[in-house]
Amino acid sequence: MKLGDLGEFGIIDRLSRDLINRPGEVVQGIGDDTAVLNLEGPWWLLFTTDMLVEGVHFSLDYATPAQVGIKTVAVNVSDIAAMGGWPAHGVVSLGLPTRLSVEEVEELYQGIRRAAGEYGLNIVGGDTVMSPERLVINLALLGFVEKGRAVYRSGARVGDLIYVTGGLGKSAAGLYLCRHPDLTIDPGMAAFLKQAHLEPRARLQAGRILSGAGVTAMDDVSDGLAAELREICRASGVGCRVRAEDIPVDYRVRRVAALANYDPLDWAFSGGEDFELVFTVPPDLARGVEEKLAAAGEECRCIGEVIPAEKGMVFELAGGRCVPLEARGYDHFAP
Amino acid sequence: MKLGDLGEFGIIDRLSRDLINRPGEVVQGIGDDTAVLNLEGPWWLLFTTDMLVEGVHFSLDYATPAQVGIKTVAVNVSDIAAMGGWPAHGVVSLGLPTRLSVEEVEELYQGIRRAAGEYGLNIVGGDTVMSPERLVINLALLGFVEKGRAVYRSGARVGDLIYVTGGLGKSAAGLYLCRHPDLTIDPGMAAFLKQAHLEPRARLQAGRILSGAGVTAMDDVSDGLAAELREICRASGVGCRVRAEDIPVDYRVRRVAALANYDPLDWAFSGGEDFELVFTVPPDLARGVEEKLAAAGEECRCIGEVIPAEKGMVFELAGGRCVPLEARGYDHFAP
């Protein structure tokens, strides 16, 4: 069977069996944004890893090495944010093509250094090897969260409201602009969207606020809203109903989508890499969550609600008609 | 400047500056086998990462996917062993070419699973992405060690004796046999050496014994004995004198080297990937260390002694003549 026939999620399910030999130390293993590990003292340990491959996750044709470093850190910090914790220590593996200059590798590290400083984390080790064709970067990141305060994908309950922070589709619109530099568009608008794609920021502050405010499930939007909702619904054993008109899509994203002849909702649902947080919250806590985020300068928007699993995942169009929400998030091995 | 002009060690020195933003939590950052991190409770946390690239660190022409998985785990556990700790939790990133079948990826994971079971560690998460040309595997591994008991490279003192566990050159001889399947040699001998290369074992038990027995510095022999001695001497501010006739080289390694027209000491010094432990110990503790290892069925051999830095790194030939010990361990970017 070829990898493409199975898809990334199927592969992980098949591979992740029987890998625990010290069960007493594991609070949450494979299947969420990070592993959650037990420690003495007041905190749990969060542990995550992400690999970025040149030509798959980034292109040096339009990203600088520093931007690749910034993105590598953000992708990992976003997983920690989605658990409600804070990042602490990372180790970086670099697979370097010899065509790269020392200056380019130093610039890559400048990006890592800058992002590590912004998120307040240490880089405490690494490995540097040769990778003949493609630059490959792996960051493995440790974080902490107060015991009992980690937010899983599995806690959504029927009746909970579904929210998303910030806006969606910016990264996809930015990628489109990187790939189509000839598109005629306001330069400030283009710079804003390209930066959203090339220098994404993890919603660390929002994640910390949310984990202390009673949210029931949370995920970061790395593979597109549809994929993350599918993960939450599957892990929680629920369905969802999401309203098209409430999906937060920035006017600049709509502008590029119009020029490119795309549906901007496709970018919001399937584009991925926005690194916003999607979360569920009981209705009686929703106002408090909104206020706490607003007080910290963080935006959020209610986009729908959690419904029973047997009703499925439903997308409510502008006119009120409902269609199935196809889970079309980014899959590395989909045909 | 091209990467090849600088070498791996030079790159790491240049990149590793200003990466600490939470200094109070770091006992040892970049520059040893693992990072050492402070925690509440009786233990320190050890954190390490290693990336293996197809065609650079292994070849699927002669290694099975399961053997690649076994080696990936052993390489990382060996770093934990060299600190005197025990491994606990790993996260695996896989960069998969689509030419691989699902069965091959499952076989890779079977190797990871088997090695994780043998060393008693958990795999608690991972990332699975596309890597068009080459299989890339990264394992990031956490371990623990009792506070104050981690063994660094920097603790060697003039007068200490230098020891190495087991035997050296087996991995290099095994690699030679993998690459020269037409060499006429006893099949049992060939199988033994190829297994040493393809399914290396970390010296976890020896590392635990040594960290409790007063050794002053320790490193695992991943890049060859010369490179590891250079690391210890540099970190400790000392020199070393090593006797050629005491370097433990298995008779099977000598046999293959004779057939291949190689100096077996070259394999011992520069071959790497033996994953033995090289360590230093004060003379008055040496007998106790030998006895403790022997009681656990672990071999070791005294190969020389620590001398003042200004005397350099010296290699004493069989006739008593001394020559400089060139640090010729494996360097990924050497010309």
Side-chain angles (χ1 to χ4, degrees), chain B residues 215-253:
Chain B
V215 304
T216 50
M218 185 153 60
D219 211 344
D220 68 319
V221 185
S222 52
D223 293 333
L225 182 61
E228 313 310 342
L229 286 171
R230 186 172 63 139
E231 288 292 304
I232 287 175
C233 287
R234 191 169 69 155
S236 299
V238 297
C240 66
R241 188 175 56 80
V242 173
R243 296 177 299 272
E245 61 188 7
D246 286 326
I247 304 296
V249 180
D250 188 275
Y251 71 95
R252 290 161 285 205
V253 176

mmCIF file of all heavy atoms in Angstrom, chain B residues 215-253:
data_model
loop_
_atom_site.group_PDB
_atom_site.id
_atom_site.type_symbol
_atom_site.label_atom_id
_atom_site.label_comp_id
_atom_site.label_asym_id
_atom_site.label_seq_id
_atom_site.Cartn_x
_atom_site.Cartn_y
_atom_site.Cartn_z
ATOM 1 N N VAL B 215 33.171 8.609 38.200
ATOM 2 C CA VAL B 215 33.908 8.999 36.995
ATOM 3 C C VAL B 215 33.809 10.517 36.850
ATOM 4 O O VAL B 215 32.852 11.153 37.299
ATOM 5 C CB VAL B 215 33.396 8.283 35.732
ATOM 6 C CG1 VAL B 215 33.453 6.775 35.922
ATOM 7 C CG2 VAL B 215 32.004 8.722 35.353
ATOM 8 N N THR B 216 34.828 11.128 36.226
ATOM 9 C CA THR B 216 34.920 12.592 36.191
ATOM 10 C C THR B 216 34.456 13.196 34.870
ATOM 11 O O THR B 216 34.014 14.346 34.825
ATOM 12 C CB THR B 216 36.373 13.021 36.456
ATOM 13 O OG1 THR B 216 37.248 12.280 35.593
ATOM 14 C CG2 THR B 216 36.742 12.744 37.909
ATOM 15 N N ALA B 217 34.576 12.438 33.774
ATOM 16 C CA ALA B 217 34.104 12.926 32.471
ATOM 17 C C ALA B 217 33.673 11.715 31.655
ATOM 18 O O ALA B 217 34.180 10.611 31.847
ATOM 19 C CB ALA B 217 35.202 13.690 31.736
ATOM 20 N N MET B 218 32.721 11.922 30.755
ATOM 21 C CA MET B 218 32.239 10.796 29.958
ATOM 22 C C MET B 218 31.659 11.313 28.638
ATOM 23 O O MET B 218 31.119 12.411 28.569
ATOM 24 C CB MET B 218 31.174 10.006 30.734
ATOM 25 C CG MET B 218 30.703 8.745 30.034
ATOM 26 S SD MET B 218 30.102 7.446 31.191
ATOM 27 C CE MET B 218 28.746 8.252 32.016
ATOM 28 N N ASP B 219 31.795 10.480 27.612
ATOM 29 C CA ASP B 219 31.246 10.800 26.296
ATOM 30 C C ASP B 219 30.935 9.470 25.617
ATOM 31 O O ASP B 219 31.546 8.452 25.949
ATOM 32 C CB ASP B 219 32.278 11.582 25.472
ATOM 33 C CG ASP B 219 31.634 12.565 24.506
ATOM 34 O OD1 ASP B 219 30.424 12.456 24.237
ATOM 35 O OD2 ASP B 219 32.362 13.453 24.029
ATOM 36 N N ASP B 220 29.986 9.471 24.686
ATOM 37 C CA ASP B 220 29.761 8.242 23.933
ATOM 38 C C ASP B 220 30.519 8.319 22.614
ATOM 39 O O ASP B 220 30.742 9.402 22.071
ATOM 40 C CB ASP B 220 28.271 7.973 23.700
ATOM 41 C CG ASP B 220 27.625 8.976 22.763
ATOM 42 O OD1 ASP B 220 27.939 10.185 22.871
ATOM 43 O OD2 ASP B 220 26.802 8.571 21.926
ATOM 44 N N VAL B 221 30.965 7.164 22.133
ATOM 45 C CA VAL B 221 31.816 7.151 20.938
ATOM 46 C C VAL B 221 30.919 7.112 19.699
ATOM 47 O O VAL B 221 30.705 6.067 19.090
ATOM 48 C CB VAL B 221 32.799 5.971 20.968
ATOM 49 C CG1 VAL B 221 33.747 6.053 19.769
ATOM 50 C CG2 VAL B 221 33.605 5.986 22.257
ATOM 51 N N SER B 222 30.363 8.268 19.362
ATOM 52 C CA SER B 222 29.501 8.348 18.176
ATOM 53 C C SER B 222 30.292 8.788 16.953
ATOM 54 O O SER B 222 29.995 8.364 15.841
ATOM 55 C CB SER B 222 28.332 9.299 18.430
ATOM 56 O OG SER B 222 28.792 10.540 18.912
ATOM 57 N N ASP B 223 31.278 9.634 17.150
ATOM 58 C CA ASP B 223 32.049 10.167 16.019
ATOM 59 C C ASP B 223 33.478 9.625 15.973
ATOM 60 O O ASP B 223 34.329 10.188 15.284
ATOM 61 C CB ASP B 223 32.094 11.698 16.087
ATOM 62 C CG ASP B 223 30.718 12.318 15.866
ATOM 63 O OD1 ASP B 223 29.884 11.674 15.192
ATOM 64 O OD2 ASP B 223 30.476 13.422 16.361
ATOM 65 N N GLY B 224 33.764 8.563 16.679
ATOM 66 C CA GLY B 224 35.118 8.010 16.709
ATOM 67 C C GLY B 224 35.850 8.440 17.969
ATOM 68 O O GLY B 224 35.637 9.537 18.494
ATOM 69 N N LEU B 225 36.747 7.577 18.454
ATOM 70 C CA LEU B 225 37.430 7.836 19.727
ATOM 71 C C LEU B 225 38.218 9.137 19.695
ATOM 72 O O LEU B 225 38.247 9.885 20.685
ATOM 73 C CB LEU B 225 38.370 6.658 20.043
ATOM 74 C CG LEU B 225 39.123 6.725 21.364
ATOM 75 C CD1 LEU B 225 38.163 6.757 22.546
ATOM 76 C CD2 LEU B 225 40.083 5.542 21.483
ATOM 77 N N ALA B 226 38.857 9.452 18.559
ATOM 78 C CA ALA B 226 39.667 10.665 18.490
ATOM 79 C C ALA B 226 38.819 11.905 18.731
ATOM 80 O O ALA B 226 39.190 12.803 19.491
ATOM 81 C CB ALA B 226 40.364 10.753 17.126
ATOM 82 N N ALA B 227 37.652 11.950 18.089
ATOM 83 C CA ALA B 227 36.789 13.124 18.240
ATOM 84 C C ALA B 227 36.276 13.246 19.668
ATOM 85 O O ALA B 227 36.194 14.352 20.213
ATOM 86 C CB ALA B 227 35.616 13.035 17.262
ATOM 87 N N GLU B 228 35.944 12.133 20.289
ATOM 88 C CA GLU B 228 35.399 12.191 21.654
ATOM 89 C C GLU B 228 36.480 12.609 22.644
ATOM 90 O O GLU B 228 36.227 13.397 23.557
ATOM 91 C CB GLU B 228 34.800 10.839 22.048
ATOM 92 C CG GLU B 228 33.877 10.186 21.022
ATOM 93 C CD GLU B 228 32.772 11.068 20.470
ATOM 94 O OE1 GLU B 228 32.450 12.103 21.083
ATOM 95 O OE2 GLU B 228 32.235 10.729 19.401
ATOM 96 N N LEU B 229 37.714 12.090 22.453
ATOM 97 C CA LEU B 229 38.823 12.517 23.330
ATOM 98 C C LEU B 229 39.090 14.003 23.159
ATOM 99 O O LEU B 229 39.334 14.731 24.126
ATOM 100 C CB LEU B 229 40.086 11.711 23.018
ATOM 101 C CG LEU B 229 40.081 10.259 23.512
ATOM 102 C CD1 LEU B 229 41.289 9.518 22.953
ATOM 103 C CD2 LEU B 229 40.077 10.204 25.041
ATOM 104 N N ARG B 230 39.002 14.465 21.930
ATOM 105 C CA ARG B 230 39.211 15.893 21.692
ATOM 106 C C ARG B 230 38.143 16.722 22.410
ATOM 107 O O ARG B 230 38.446 17.768 23.000
ATOM 108 C CB ARG B 230 39.177 16.196 20.183
ATOM 109 C CG ARG B 230 39.528 17.643 19.877
ATOM 110 C CD ARG B 230 39.690 17.881 18.393
ATOM 111 N NE ARG B 230 38.446 17.651 17.659
ATOM 112 C CZ ARG B 230 38.013 18.416 16.661
ATOM 113 N NH1 ARG B 230 38.722 19.443 16.269
ATOM 114 N NH2 ARG B 230 36.889 18.142 16.039
ATOM 115 N N GLU B 231 36.897 16.250 22.382
ATOM 116 C CA GLU B 231 35.816 16.962 23.076
ATOM 117 C C GLU B 231 36.074 17.030 24.576
ATOM 118 O O GLU B 231 35.912 18.071 25.202
ATOM 119 C CB GLU B 231 34.473 16.249 22.828
ATOM 120 C CG GLU B 231 33.930 16.402 21.418
ATOM 121 C CD GLU B 231 33.524 17.828 21.148
ATOM 122 O OE1 GLU B 231 32.704 18.368 21.909
ATOM 123 O OE2 GLU B 231 34.037 18.407 20.168
ATOM 124 N N ILE B 232 36.452 15.891 25.142
ATOM 125 C CA ILE B 232 36.708 15.853 26.589
ATOM 126 C C ILE B 232 37.893 16.751 26.938
ATOM 127 O O ILE B 232 37.835 17.533 27.893
ATOM 128 C CB ILE B 232 36.954 14.396 27.051
ATOM 129 C CG1 ILE B 232 35.633 13.618 27.033
ATOM 130 C CG2 ILE B 232 37.579 14.354 28.448
ATOM 131 C CD1 ILE B 232 35.758 12.142 27.345
ATOM 132 N N CYS B 233 38.974 16.664 26.147
ATOM 133 C CA CYS B 233 40.156 17.489 26.443
ATOM 134 C C CYS B 233 39.833 18.970 26.325
ATOM 135 O O CYS B 233 40.244 19.780 27.167
ATOM 136 C CB CYS B 233 41.301 17.107 25.508
ATOM 137 S SG CYS B 233 42.039 15.502 25.919
ATOM 138 N N ARG B 234 39.089 19.335 25.291
ATOM 139 C CA ARG B 234 38.748 20.735 25.101
ATOM 140 C C ARG B 234 37.866 21.246 26.232
ATOM 141 O O ARG B 234 38.099 22.314 26.793
ATOM 142 C CB ARG B 234 38.049 20.923 23.750
ATOM 143 C CG ARG B 234 37.896 22.365 23.352
ATOM 144 C CD ARG B 234 37.449 22.505 21.911
ATOM 145 N NE ARG B 234 36.081 22.050 21.718
ATOM 146 C CZ ARG B 234 35.281 22.465 20.735
ATOM 147 N NH1 ARG B 234 35.736 23.337 19.855
ATOM 148 N NH2 ARG B 234 34.068 22.010 20.609
ATOM 149 N N ALA B 235 36.834 20.459 26.565
ATOM 150 C CA ALA B 235 35.884 20.896 27.593
ATOM 151 C C ALA B 235 36.541 20.928 28.975
ATOM 152 O O ALA B 235 36.188 21.755 29.819
ATOM 153 C CB ALA B 235 34.664 19.979 27.599
ATOM 154 N N SER B 236 37.500 20.014 29.215
ATOM 155 C CA SER B 236 38.114 19.918 30.542
ATOM 156 C C SER B 236 39.385 20.751 30.663
ATOM 157 O O SER B 236 39.934 20.888 31.768
ATOM 158 C CB SER B 236 38.463 18.447 30.848
ATOM 159 O OG SER B 236 37.311 17.639 30.846
ATOM 160 N N GLY B 237 39.898 21.269 29.533
ATOM 161 C CA GLY B 237 41.147 22.014 29.576
ATOM 162 C C GLY B 237 42.337 21.145 29.912
ATOM 163 O O GLY B 237 43.197 21.532 30.711
ATOM 164 N N VAL B 238 42.384 19.951 29.328
ATOM 165 C CA VAL B 238 43.474 19.005 29.601
ATOM 166 C C VAL B 238 43.974 18.408 28.291
ATOM 167 O O VAL B 238 43.428 18.675 27.212
ATOM 168 C CB VAL B 238 42.997 17.856 30.528
ATOM 169 C CG1 VAL B 238 42.570 18.401 31.890
ATOM 170 C CG2 VAL B 238 41.857 17.060 29.877
ATOM 171 N N GLY B 239 45.045 17.609 28.393
ATOM 172 C CA GLY B 239 45.517 16.798 27.278
ATOM 173 C C GLY B 239 45.328 15.324 27.611
ATOM 174 O O GLY B 239 44.778 14.980 28.662
ATOM 175 N N CYS B 240 45.780 14.460 26.701
ATOM 176 C CA CYS B 240 45.653 13.028 26.974
ATOM 177 C C CYS B 240 46.797 12.271 26.296
ATOM 178 O O CYS B 240 47.374 12.720 25.309
ATOM 179 C CB CYS B 240 44.304 12.486 26.503
ATOM 180 S SG CYS B 240 44.070 12.509 24.719
ATOM 181 N N ARG B 241 47.114 11.127 26.904
ATOM 182 C CA ARG B 241 48.085 10.220 26.299
ATOM 183 C C ARG B 241 47.411 8.857 26.219
ATOM 184 O O ARG B 241 46.903 8.339 27.222
ATOM 185 C CB ARG B 241 49.353 10.149 27.156
ATOM 186 C CG ARG B 241 50.504 9.371 26.508
ATOM 187 C CD ARG B 241 51.770 9.450 27.364
ATOM 188 N NE ARG B 241 51.518 8.984 28.719
ATOM 189 C CZ ARG B 241 51.462 7.691 29.072
ATOM 190 N NH1 ARG B 241 51.674 6.745 28.181
ATOM 191 N NH2 ARG B 241 51.206 7.361 30.328
ATOM 192 N N VAL B 242 47.359 8.322 25.011
ATOM 193 C CA VAL B 242 46.620 7.084 24.764
ATOM 194 C C VAL B 242 47.581 6.073 24.146
ATOM 195 O O VAL B 242 48.345 6.396 23.239
ATOM 196 C CB VAL B 242 45.434 7.353 23.817
ATOM 197 C CG1 VAL B 242 44.765 6.056 23.415
ATOM 198 C CG2 VAL B 242 44.430 8.296 24.467
ATOM 199 N N ARG B 243 47.555 4.833 24.654
ATOM 200 C CA ARG B 243 48.477 3.795 24.190
ATOM 201 C C ARG B 243 47.825 2.941 23.098
ATOM 202 O O ARG B 243 46.764 2.331 23.318
ATOM 203 C CB ARG B 243 48.877 2.889 25.354
ATOM 204 C CG ARG B 243 49.674 3.587 26.463
ATOM 205 C CD ARG B 243 49.960 2.631 27.608
ATOM 206 N NE ARG B 243 48.726 2.130 28.220
ATOM 207 C CZ ARG B 243 48.075 2.738 29.215
ATOM 208 N NH1 ARG B 243 48.531 3.887 29.713
ATOM 209 N NH2 ARG B 243 46.974 2.214 29.721
ATOM 210 N N ALA B 244 48.478 2.869 21.971
ATOM 211 C CA ALA B 244 47.938 2.110 20.838
ATOM 212 C C ALA B 244 47.628 0.667 21.229
ATOM 213 O O ALA B 244 46.581 0.124 20.881
ATOM 214 C CB ALA B 244 48.936 2.126 19.677
ATOM 215 N N GLU B 245 48.541 0.047 21.980
ATOM 216 C CA GLU B 245 48.371 -1.392 22.228
ATOM 217 C C GLU B 245 47.219 -1.694 23.178
ATOM 218 O O GLU B 245 46.813 -2.848 23.299
ATOM 219 C CB GLU B 245 49.669 -1.994 22.766
ATOM 220 C CG GLU B 245 50.133 -1.389 24.074
ATOM 221 C CD GLU B 245 51.533 -1.898 24.445
ATOM 222 O OE1 GLU B 245 52.149 -2.594 23.612
ATOM 223 O OE2 GLU B 245 51.977 -1.606 25.567
ATOM 224 N N ASP B 246 46.703 -0.678 23.843
ATOM 225 C CA ASP B 246 45.583 -0.914 24.762
ATOM 226 C C ASP B 246 44.212 -0.585 24.165
ATOM 227 O O ASP B 246 43.195 -0.796 24.831
ATOM 228 C CB ASP B 246 45.796 -0.112 26.049
ATOM 229 C CG ASP B 246 46.885 -0.730 26.915
ATOM 230 O OD1 ASP B 246 46.989 -1.985 26.911
ATOM 231 O OD2 ASP B 246 47.628 0.019 27.561
ATOM 232 N N ILE B 247 44.187 -0.043 22.959
ATOM 233 C CA ILE B 247 42.885 0.252 22.332
ATOM 234 C C ILE B 247 42.181 -1.074 22.059
ATOM 235 O O ILE B 247 42.726 -1.943 21.371
ATOM 236 C CB ILE B 247 43.068 1.008 20.999
ATOM 237 C CG1 ILE B 247 43.884 2.284 21.190
ATOM 238 C CG2 ILE B 247 41.706 1.315 20.361
ATOM 239 C CD1 ILE B 247 43.250 3.324 22.054
ATOM 240 N N PRO B 248 40.974 -1.267 22.590
ATOM 241 C CA PRO B 248 40.319 -2.560 22.412
ATOM 242 C C PRO B 248 39.721 -2.703 21.008
ATOM 243 O O PRO B 248 38.736 -2.053 20.670
ATOM 244 C CB PRO B 248 39.218 -2.545 23.481
ATOM 245 C CG PRO B 248 38.919 -1.099 23.715
ATOM 246 C CD PRO B 248 40.192 -0.343 23.442
ATOM 247 N N VAL B 249 40.385 -3.524 20.216
ATOM 248 C CA VAL B 249 39.887 -3.779 18.850
ATOM 249 C C VAL B 249 39.653 -5.282 18.731
ATOM 250 O O VAL B 249 40.586 -6.080 18.865
ATOM 251 C CB VAL B 249 40.901 -3.310 17.788
ATOM 252 C CG1 VAL B 249 40.357 -3.594 16.384
ATOM 253 C CG2 VAL B 249 41.191 -1.822 17.948
ATOM 254 N N ASP B 250 38.422 -5.641 18.476
ATOM 255 C CA ASP B 250 37.998 -7.037 18.382
ATOM 256 C C ASP B 250 38.782 -7.769 17.278
ATOM 257 O O ASP B 250 39.111 -7.186 16.242
ATOM 258 C CB ASP B 250 36.501 -7.024 18.066
ATOM 259 C CG ASP B 250 35.880 -8.392 18.138
ATOM 260 O OD1 ASP B 250 35.954 -9.111 17.111
ATOM 261 O OD2 ASP B 250 35.312 -8.733 19.183
ATOM 262 N N TYR B 251 39.037 -9.064 17.496
ATOM 263 C CA TYR B 251 39.791 -9.841 16.502
ATOM 264 C C TYR B 251 39.062 -9.879 15.155
ATOM 265 O O TYR B 251 39.674 -9.942 14.104
ATOM 266 C CB TYR B 251 40.064 -11.258 17.015
ATOM 267 C CG TYR B 251 38.848 -12.150 17.066
ATOM 268 C CD1 TYR B 251 38.539 -13.024 16.015
ATOM 269 C CD2 TYR B 251 37.976 -12.108 18.157
ATOM 270 C CE1 TYR B 251 37.422 -13.835 16.062
ATOM 271 C CE2 TYR B 251 36.862 -12.907 18.204
ATOM 272 C CZ TYR B 251 36.577 -13.778 17.161
ATOM 273 O OH TYR B 251 35.463 -14.561 17.196
ATOM 274 N N ARG B 252 37.734 -9.803 15.202
ATOM 275 C CA ARG B 252 36.974 -9.829 13.945
ATOM 276 C C ARG B 252 37.174 -8.525 13.171
ATOM 277 O O ARG B 252 37.190 -8.512 11.946
ATOM 278 C CB ARG B 252 35.493 -10.081 14.239
ATOM 279 C CG ARG B 252 35.238 -11.511 14.733
ATOM 280 C CD ARG B 252 33.918 -11.658 15.452
ATOM 281 N NE ARG B 252 33.966 -11.077 16.796
ATOM 282 C CZ ARG B 252 33.182 -11.444 17.806
ATOM 283 N NH1 ARG B 252 32.264 -12.393 17.624
ATOM 284 N NH2 ARG B 252 33.292 -10.880 18.987
ATOM 285 N N VAL B 253 37.309 -7.436 13.906
ATOM 286 C CA VAL B 253 37.592 -6.158 13.256
ATOM 287 C C VAL B 253 38.977 -6.210 12.601
ATOM 288 O O VAL B 253 39.164 -5.778 11.452
ATOM 289 C CB VAL B 253 37.518 -4.998 14.275
ATOM 290 C CG1 VAL B 253 37.916 -3.679 13.625
ATOM 291 C CG2 VAL B 253 36.111 -4.902 14.875
#
